[in-house]
Amino acid sequence: ELYQSHYQIELQILQSYYTLLTLEVDKSFEIINADVEKKEKSTEILVLIIAIFSCISISFIILFVTTNVSKRIIHVQDMTKTLADKDFTGSIRPRGSNEMVSLLQNINIMVEQINEFFTVVKVTAARAISSGYTINDAANSTAAATAAIDENIQKIMTQFDQMIGTVGKAVSVISDMNVQVDTLVNNNET
């Protein structure tokens, strides 16, 4: 009986120990679950805060980048509008990304080449106008000289006509004189 009572006591102790252990494990599990839930909520809140902060940061970065790109595009648009209005005196300061700097440099080179072309055209046009005036003056001078030559030719022709008439008269007079000389010579001989 002692043995059996000892066995029962041990069994009760084990059952109590098991019950206590189960209670302690359940309490520990509940405490751990509560801590894990708190940590999960804290982590979720932290992740949510980081996500919101990241979205706001990315939005500001995108806004900053697009604003800078938009400003450069508007600057290029203003430059092309100036070119469309036939004002080729402006230039754009190249800045930004490599592609944007290359584009702005190419626009500046194009504007310089157009300015050089128009300068050559203006100089050539001025020379052509000056040559036109010179040619016009020369043509007027040539026309005046031609008119003077025509007038002189008419005068010379009139003088030749007069000289022909005078020479004809002189020939006639010489013929008459020749006849008279012949007559005199005949008379002398006679």
Side-chain angles (χ1 to χ4, degrees):
E1 251 183 57
L2 190 60
Y3 182 69
Q4 198 162 1
S5 93
H6 185 45
Y7 178 72
Q8 280 191 351
I9 291 176
E10 268 185 32
L11 190 59
Q12 281 181 347
I13 289 176
L14 277 174
Q15 282 179 347
S16 294
Y17 179 73
Y18 179 74
T19 305
L20 233 163
L21 188 62
T22 303
L23 284 174
E24 283 300 313
V25 167
D26 286 343
K27 282 182 183 176
S28 295
F29 186 71
E30 286 175 10
I31 290 172
I32 290 172
N33 272 343
D35 280 347
V36 167
E37 286 177 8
K38 283 181 187 177
K39 297 291 181 190
E40 283 178 351
K41 285 182 182 178
S42 297
T43 304
E44 286 174 0
I45 291 172
L46 183 63
V47 166
L48 184 64
I49 290 172
I50 290 173
I52 291 171
F53 180 73
S54 296
C55 287
I56 291 171
S57 298
I58 290 171
S59 296
F60 278 121
I61 290 171
I62 289 172
L63 180 67
F64 177 74
V65 169
T66 56
T67 301
N68 281 338
V69 170
S70 295
K71 284 180 184 177
R72 289 187 186 105
I73 290 172
I74 289 170
H75 195 62
V76 170
Q77 183 182 19
D78 291 343
M79 180 65 176
T80 55
K81 189 180 231 179
T82 302
L83 293 175
D85 292 337
K86 297 171 185 80
D87 179 9
F88 297 99
T89 58
S91 66
I92 302 174
R93 187 178 64 164
R95 59 186 171 145
S97 66
N98 290 339
E99 295 83 10
M100 189 61 86
V101 167
S102 177
L103 173 68
L104 297 177
Q105 286 173 340
N106 288 339
I107 288 174
N108 285 337
I109 290 169
M110 178 189 69
V111 169
E112 287 175 18
Q113 289 175 349
I114 289 173
N115 274 331
E116 289 173 7
F117 173 75
F118 282 135
T119 301
V120 168
V121 168
K122 285 179 183 177
V123 167
T124 305
R127 286 181 185 162
I129 290 170
S130 175
S131 296
Y133 289 139
T134 303
I135 290 170
N136 195 22
D137 290 344
N140 288 338
S141 297
T142 302
T146 303
I149 290 171
D150 283 345
E151 186 180 323
N152 287 337
I153 289 173
Q154 287 298 325
K155 285 181 184 177
I156 290 172
M157 286 177 68
T158 303
Q159 288 175 353
F160 275 136
D161 287 342
Q162 288 174 354
M163 284 170 69
I164 288 172
T166 304
V167 168
K169 287 178 187 176
V171 167
S172 176
V173 168
I174 290 174
S175 281
D176 286 342
M177 284 173 69
N178 198 12
V179 168
Q180 287 177 4
V181 168
D182 280 342
T183 305
L184 276 175
V185 168
N186 284 330
N187 285 339
N188 273 341
E189 281 180 3
T190 306

